[in-house]
Amino acid sequence: MQVTITVNGVERTDEVQPRMLLAHYLRDVCGLTATNIGCDTTSCGACTVHLDGESVKSCTVLAAQASGSSVTTLEGLADGDTLHPVQAAFRREHGLQCGFCTPGMVMAAASLLSQNPHPDEREVREELEGNICRCTGYHNIVRAVLSAADEMSGDRVDAAVQTR
Amino acid sequence: MIPASFDYVRAGSIDEAVSLLGEHGDDAKLLAGGHSLLPMMKLRLAVPETLIDIRHLREASYIRVDGDEVAIGGLTRHRDLVTSEVLRAEAPLIGLVAGHVGDPQIRHRGTIGGSLAHADPAADLPAAVLASGATLVAQGAAGRRTIAVDDFFLGFFETALEPDEVLVEIRVLRTGPTGAHYEKFTRRANDWAIVAVATVAGRVALANMGGRPTRATATEQALAEGASIEDAAALAADGTEPVQDMHADPDYRRHLARVLTRRSLAAAAA
Ligand SMILES: Cc1cc2nc3c(=O)[nH]c(=O)nc-3n(C[C@H](O)[C@H](O)[C@H](O)COP(=O)(O)OP(=O)(O)OC[C@H]3O[C@@H](n4cnc5c(N)ncnc54)[C@H](O)[C@@H]3O)c2cc1C
Ligand code: FES
Ligand code: FES
């Protein structure tokens, strides 16, 4: 069947099998490999992308279901060479170690901040419950999301500067 | 994991979905959020030949006050239940419980109709709707009919829906902004309840205390007769037949049902 999907701002039409998962479509058809597949059972969140602006787990959406919609992957989040505030904050706050969960974490966090621009720490932890990280212990991830929230609302005090 | 091959059709309306179901018979399945069906298809526990996608049908996605009930479209997503001001003011149990379903990504996809039609006894919304004194509206070839929620859940993954029927609306009683509570006991984040208890307006429904969501009738009756919360909650497991699985044995589940009912009633009364 034919699907027409706007991927990272560019509309494209492809011939796919109805059973093709969105995660496989993005990786194998579009060649966008930032979206990782960790569990394939809707548990880990590594495959999180935005579908019409909201986070979804692309291992549990058919490419066919996304036809007519827009999808944003991690590759489409930055504005040219300027990182998205959530990406920049993950770098600044060391919100990753191996990096496998990171694309999904960043996409989930960006979706969370678009719905709730001023989350407290508990809300960040609860809202990221669909994303599992085996390395970091989550502390720096949470710190990065809170820092990105401050950045996006314009009141971030650089932690490095502050402690000097 | 990749599902077995199937044909995919998008229904243009509920009417069309009903006629497609009639045309394809048992080989077809409705696809709403896909967050119960697709995982089962990936495991080949479900192998439909045709999927009829209804997820995008806006005509069945709404939440509005209608007389002494709130009418919720069958395709309303969990996320829309959580954020609904109408539900918060009129029937808060539903939004509260929807916030316990899975995680944000799952709530962006899954629908209330899909959750009820799937009828997993461990699921959250079936218990919430049971506690809410709801009426369900199904549309089939012969038109629409209503089903009282007490007659809807028949057993494990089994409901009163006919194979050619679409669950189009859920009508819950307006209970006012307070007095609702949900206690869900899990071991891991983003998981189904080991046991959960939904309470509103003197009604108490239990999740995962048997093959279908169950009303704690002995507790409800005791409350109606003026028993204390402690005494009423002690009866919560009466008449239930909870299962044994890797998380808990039946005795532990009965214990949980009593404790969670006490907490839920106390929180609802506070
Ligand atoms: C990792 C994970 C964790 C989860 N955790 C929870 C949890 O904690 N609590 C919980 O309650 N649920 C949980 N769920 C399930 C989730 O709530 C599903 O979204 C929901 O059960 C099914 O809704 P759906 O719209 O996705 O239905 P689908 O998967 O599309 O459909 C489910 C079934 O219902 C039928 N159907 C769908 N819509 C209709 C309709 N309108 N009329 C008639 N039949 C219909 C379909 O044909 C199918 O048989 C979880 C799911 C996953 C993947
Ligand atoms: S790969 Fe999709 S949730 Fe883990
Ligand atoms: S950084 Fe390794 S899984 Fe999160």
Side-chain angles (χ1 to χ4, degrees):
Chain A
M1 65 175 288
Q2 260 195 359
V3 293
T4 299
I5 304 176
T6 302
V7 181
N8 295 334
V10 180
E11 186 181 289
R12 48 181 295 157
T13 299
D14 295 285
E15 191 62 35
V16 302
Q17 286 189 20
R19 62 175 168 167
M20 179 174 261
L21 301 171
L22 182 60
H24 293 141
Y25 171 80
L26 293 169
R27 290 177 60 85
D28 302 341
V29 179
C30 305
L32 297 168
T33 52
T35 303
N36 285 332
I37 299 174
C39 65
D40 208 3
T41 58
T42 337
S43 307
C44 75
C47 65
T48 301
V49 300
H50 295 180
L51 181 56
D52 292 328
E54 293 173 325
S55 59
V56 302
K57 293 179 172 177
S58 61
C59 71
T60 312
V61 178
L62 300 171
Q65 289 175 289
S67 192
S69 292
S70 351
V71 174
T72 307
T73 69
L74 186 74
E75 288 95 336
L77 201 59
D79 177 11
D81 286 342
T82 311
L83 292 180
H84 183 279
V86 174
Q87 292 175 298
F90 268 67
R91 180 153 88 181
R92 194 167 57 236
E93 301 293 338
H94 200 65
L96 63 149
Q97 289 180 23
C98 82
F100 190 83
C101 70
T102 313
M105 278 294 176
V106 169
M107 297 311 283
S111 175
L112 145 66
L113 292 180
S114 74
Q115 291 169 348
N116 177 5
H118 305 288
D120 60 26
E121 181 187 331
R122 216 195 80 223
E123 288 173 323
V124 171
R125 288 182 184 276
E126 282 179 354
E127 291 290 304
L128 291 181
E129 74 170 310
N131 292 74
I132 294 172
C133 175
R134 306 213 73 170
C135 303
T136 63
Y138 300 100
H139 286 292
N140 286 1
I141 291 175
V142 174
R143 200 171 301 164
V145 178
L146 291 169
S147 171
D150 288 346
E151 176 82 40
M152 289 163 86
S153 60
D155 46 44
R156 178 171 75 88
V157 181
D158 197 307
V161 173
Q162 210 179 21
T163 50
R164 235 173 254 145
Chain B
M1 295 179 296
I2 296 168
S5 291
F6 54 83
D7 291 327
Y8 172 93
V9 231
R10 244 185 223 200
S13 64
I14 296 287
D15 290 349
E16 192 189 340
V18 169
S19 58
L20 284 166
L21 278 174
E23 215 173 284
H24 292 277
D26 280 353
D27 300 331
K29 273 210 159 287
L30 295 173
L31 176 67
H35 271 52
S36 291
L37 186 51
L38 293 176
M40 294 213 317
M41 289 171 62
K42 287 163 95 177
L43 296 169
R44 313 271 168 127
L45 293 172
V47 192
E49 281 175 19
T50 306
L51 285 188
I52 303 165
D53 192 351
I54 52 173
R55 165 98 178 14
H56 51 281
L57 295 178
R58 304 309 299 169
E59 63 178 287
S61 172
Y62 54 81
I63 301 166
R64 56 183 174 238
V65 171
D66 188 358
D68 54 6
E69 295 170 316
V70 178
I72 305 170
L75 282 154
T76 309
R77 304 174 315 157
H78 306 325
R79 159 92 189 157
D80 299 323
L81 302 173
V82 174
T83 54
S84 165
E85 292 299 335
V86 173
L87 284 178
R88 222 189 312 280
E90 303 290 349
L93 183 64
I94 302 296
L96 199 82
V97 170
H100 285 268
V101 176
D103 55 46
Q105 290 96 317
I106 292 165
R107 296 194 288 270
H108 287 149
R109 294 298 293 169
T111 65
I112 185 169
S115 182
L116 300 186
H118 187 59
D120 183 337
D124 299 304
L125 284 167
V129 170
L130 189 59
S132 299
T135 306
L136 311 186
V137 184
Q139 183 176 332
R144 291 192 172 202
R145 67 177 176 122
T146 56
I147 309 165
V149 70
D150 289 301
D151 303 327
F152 184 76
F153 299 106
L154 302 182
F156 279 105
F157 305 103
E158 202 192 332
T159 70
L161 287 173
E162 297 295 333
D164 71 341
E165 280 182 323
V166 182
L167 179 55
V168 289
E169 193 173 270
I170 296 92
R171 305 179 65 84
V172 297
L173 292 174
R174 289 169 68 183
T175 54
T178 56
H181 194 75
Y182 191 56
E183 281 288 327
K184 177 177 180 178
F185 192 80
T186 54
R187 273 195 205 294
R188 302 175 300 196
N190 168 14
D191 210 351
W192 282 265
I194 295 175
V195 172
V197 180
T199 319
V200 68
R203 293 168 65 108
V204 179
L206 312 170
N208 220 1
M209 284 297 289
R212 53 181 172 167
T214 320
R215 297 232 337 243
T217 38
T219 296
E220 290 178 0
Q221 201 176 335
L223 286 174
E225 288 163 3
S228 68
I229 284 177
E230 280 71 23
D231 291 346
L235 307 172
D238 286 16
T240 59
E241 286 174 38
V243 294
Q244 161 105 37
D245 63 17
M246 65 176 171
H247 295 299
D249 64 22
D251 274 348
Y252 181 55
R253 283 204 156 85
R254 288 191 192 97
H255 167 76
L256 282 178
R258 291 187 287 263
V259 172
L260 299 176
T261 298
R262 174 165 51 74
R263 289 184 191 161
S264 194
L265 287 171

